[in-house]
Amino acid sequence: MGKDNGFLLYERKNNPTLPPLERIKGFAEFHTTLDEAERRKQAARCMDCGVPMCQSAIKLAGMVTGCPLHNLIPEWNDALYNGYFKQAAQTLMETSSFPEFTGRVCPALCEKACNLGCDKCGSAEAVNVHDNELFIIEKAFAEGYVRPRIPKAHTDKKVAVIGAGPAGLAVADMLNRRGHSVTVYEREDKAGGLLMYGIPNMKLDKSVIDRRIALMEAEGVRFIYNANIGENTDAQTILHEYDAVALCCGAKKPRSLSVPGSDANGVLFAVDFLSSVTKSLVRSHLKDHAFFSPKGKDVIIVGGGDTGNDCTGTCIRLGAKSVTQIEMMPCPPTQRAKNNPWPQWPRVLKTDYGQEEAIAKFGHDPRIYETTIKEIHVQDGNVCGVKTVQVEFKMIDGKRQLVEREDSERELKADLILIAAGFLGCEEYTANTFGVALTPRSTVATEGETYRTNVEKVFTAGDMHRGQSLVVWAITEGRACAREIDQYLIGYRNL
């Protein structure tokens, strides 16, 4: 490494963020950047590890740690420290299809596995891999290192990719690079999947996605929008016209509430709420008012994960009167538990941007733990409140069961309820129209550890294959699926 004692000389510094009360005034990305000199110091903190756990993606006690893409993190950190920006970008793009996405929205599995984060390293903090990655790719775009990579030779094979989310885009990118003719079918009016309409703009500005799509089009990938397979586009025609098909439609079937009053006006799935807001923002900067507005309303969000946090931040920006996040699980500890050692993903309390903004706006953390909704109160067909109850998990007859705590019922005001309780697998209609088998988890079944379905020449990847997961895993699966399709088409892998 260029600076073999950098981790001793420099402390970790994250990209600065705008103050909560300032950033909630709009939907612009709120992270600013360190200057180049400071960024190179952050890269200098990367140690010359004998075993760089950051890029390992190994399974420990049922949990995967490290980068699923196997990014060559020490190598591009070294290049960044030495000022070899083009080399850093080239090394990063060898393994990562879309660093500008993961550099913004990935929870950085790599950092949680960094050797500097080990208990044995005392008070040292992990290398800032996430922000370094984003700096490298944005520098590459700014300096012109990222250019259309048009294949020097083309095959006579045609591939259809169904779904333009991160998995589908990764499949298309890799197979187009191989020289196959790739067409991506997307049911929305823009590419990106949940990156486009599911993740709020303040986390991922949509111009970043448009920039990548324009690049892929320049490289030869064809996009067909408003093409909903099984609704307005025929699957059998696609099977007839293409040599291989990749199903990458995500896991967009949301988990619902099964309590009295859950069918009332004002009960929405979080994905529908977030999508309506982002679509309006992209099309008219919210001037068309074609979104579910929380302005002046008491909002309850069911779910304490990333989507619930995104709903919190979005509702605050749109003028909600109050925001409450209900979480069924207990509040996580502030430090690693003994049964959650490094380099596992740390199951610790995280206060994300939405909660920070709620604290600044309303004066308290919006999250309520070990609580669930027992009943939704309805007046004239509209939500007017909820009855909650505290819950806990207990072992009963050898099984872990969720039980109510006595005398814990509570009434809360509510004009809008957003369900951010996760997803139950893919929406079956596209899978059914292609005739592929599904698992009991409503994901597309494949043969063993492959991406091949039970239907000839049909493959699958991403959340549609593995269930609800991270963007980085969708990209990883897309790249792996592309390699398998390439071998299927020409008899050997050249990716």
Side-chain angles (χ1 to χ4, degrees):
M1 301 298 292
K3 195 75 171 176
D4 56 6
N5 62 343
F7 63 96
L8 298 173
L9 297 177
Y10 309 121
E11 294 182 353
R12 175 184 170 113
K13 287 187 178 180
N14 297 324
N15 279 341
T17 60
L18 296 176
L21 294 180
E22 181 178 343
R23 68 195 191 217
I24 63 174
K25 295 176 182 177
F27 282 83
E29 289 186 2
F30 54 83
H31 290 95
T32 57
T33 59
L34 299 174
D35 61 38
E36 189 172 295
E38 186 57 51
R39 179 54 57 205
R40 290 174 65 179
K41 288 181 182 179
Q42 292 303 301
R45 297 186 68 245
C46 189
M47 302 186 297
D48 188 8
C49 300
V51 180
M53 298 294 289
C54 57
Q55 67 183 62
S56 61
I58 60 174
K59 200 166 190 177
L60 295 172
M63 299 176 64
V64 175
T65 184
C67 178
L69 288 167
H70 301 291
N71 281 338
L72 305 174
I73 295 166
E75 285 84 347
W76 47 254
N77 269 327
D78 183 47
L80 173 57
Y81 164 70
N82 284 291
Y84 304 144
F85 301 125
K86 187 173 184 179
Q87 178 184 335
Q90 290 172 337
T91 305
L92 173 58
M93 290 187 289
E94 280 184 23
T95 56
S96 181
S97 297
F98 315 116
E100 68 272 31
F101 300 160
T102 51
R104 286 174 165 85
V105 303
C106 185
L109 302 173
C110 50
E111 292 185 14
K112 308 308 183 288
C114 174
N115 286 324
L116 270 179
C118 176
D119 296 340
K120 305 299 182 183
C121 290
S123 60
E125 291 187 272
V127 174
N128 200 325
V129 181
H130 183 273
D131 291 353
N132 289 354
E133 174 186 11
L134 183 57
F135 176 89
I136 290 170
I137 190 61
E138 289 301 328
K139 180 79 170 178
F141 273 107
E143 298 294 328
Y145 306 150
V146 182
R147 299 175 180 174
R149 293 181 288 186
I150 300 173
K152 295 180 180 179
H154 291 82
T155 71
D156 61 350
K157 303 299 183 182
K158 297 170 60 181
V159 181
V161 178
I162 315 301
L169 293 178
V171 173
D173 177 60
M174 296 291 284
L175 291 178
N176 179 73
R177 195 184 309 176
R178 178 67 180 88
H180 305 308
S181 297
V182 182
T183 301
V184 181
Y185 291 83
E186 169 57 44
R187 72 178 179 180
E188 295 286 355
D189 59 349
K190 279 181 167 288
L194 287 180
L195 292 172
M196 176 57 73
Y197 290 136
I199 294 178
N201 203 70
M202 54 274 194
K203 285 175 68 173
L204 175 60
D205 191 279
K206 305 316 167 188
S207 64
V208 175
I209 304 172
D210 292 338
R211 179 180 62 183
R212 175 58 68 171
I213 299 306
L215 181 68
M216 293 180 67
E217 289 177 328
E219 292 171 336
V221 178
R222 181 184 177 215
F223 289 87
I224 299 178
Y225 299 110
N226 301 305
N228 196 352
I229 314 300
E231 294 289 340
N232 62 10
T233 305
D234 183 52
Q236 296 308 309
T237 301
I238 290 175
L239 287 170
H240 176 73
E241 292 182 354
Y242 292 90
D243 299 294
V245 177
L247 301 182
C248 305
C249 303
K252 296 181 179 178
K253 186 168 67 174
R255 180 180 283 108
S256 61
L257 286 181
S258 55
V259 299
S262 58
D263 58 347
N265 295 327
V267 180
L268 303 173
F269 289 117
V271 66
D272 295 332
F273 167 72
L274 293 172
S275 295
S276 74
V277 173
T278 303
K279 286 179 179 180
S280 179
L281 183 69
V282 169
R283 294 168 181 168
S284 69
H285 299 286
L286 302 177
K287 292 180 181 178
D288 62 6
H289 300 286
F291 58 91
F292 299 107
S293 177
K295 186 174 183 178
K297 296 180 179 179
D298 293 303
V299 182
I300 290 182
I301 299 164
V302 181
D306 288 341
T307 302
N309 171 69
D310 289 340
C311 288
T312 296
T314 300
C315 287
I316 289 173
R317 281 163 176 77
L318 294 174
K321 181 180 178 182
S322 70
V323 179
T324 302
Q325 270 187 268
I326 292 178
E327 170 61 65
M328 190 163 52
M329 301 301 292
C331 180
T334 56
Q335 295 182 331
R336 285 182 182 269
K338 290 184 178 180
N339 63 352
N340 179 215
W342 174 90
Q344 289 182 356
W345 174 266
R347 297 188 293 268
V348 297
L349 181 64
K350 172 186 175 185
T351 301
D352 214 327
Y353 77 95
Q355 286 105 32
E356 291 176 350
E357 293 162 1
I359 293 169
K361 178 73 174 178
F362 303 119
H364 60 86
D365 195 309
R367 292 169 290 188
I368 301 176
Y369 295 96
E370 295 182 289
T371 301
T372 190
I373 291 179
K374 188 173 184 178
E375 182 181 347
I376 297 173
H377 301 316
V378 182
Q379 184 175 9
D380 298 327
N382 301 310
V383 171
C384 63
V386 297
K387 179 187 292 183
T388 67
V389 64
Q390 290 185 327
V391 293
E392 61 183 317
F393 287 95
K394 288 186 176 182
M395 295 299 296
I396 300 176
D397 297 329
K399 296 182 179 180
R400 188 168 180 261
Q401 298 184 32
L402 188 69
V403 297
E404 296 183 9
R405 289 179 179 158
E406 293 184 5
D407 301 322
S408 65
E409 290 184 355
R410 180 184 175 190
E411 301 288 339
L412 296 177
K413 293 181 179 180
D415 305 301
L416 178 64
I417 298 174
L418 303 177
I419 306 171
F423 297 87
L424 296 172
C426 69
E427 296 170 298
E428 291 95 340
Y429 71 93
T430 300
N432 292 340
T433 195
F434 278 101
V436 297
L438 298 176
T439 70
R441 296 173 55 239
S442 292
T443 56
V444 175
T446 54
E447 300 175 8
E449 297 297 318
T450 74
Y451 298 89
R452 186 191 302 262
T453 73
N454 62 300
V455 177
E456 177 65 22
K457 74 180 182 182
V458 178
F459 299 77
T460 188
D463 288 4
M464 195 172 192
H465 174 232
R466 67 182 288 118
Q468 179 186 2
S469 190
L470 302 173
V471 170
V472 67
W473 272 112
I475 296 171
T476 300
E477 288 225 342
R479 290 171 66 92
C481 180
R483 288 192 289 270
E484 197 167 296
I485 291 173
D486 187 43
Q487 183 175 32
Y488 169 80
L489 292 174
I490 59 177
Y492 64 94
R493 298 184 185 185
N494 196 29
L495 288 174

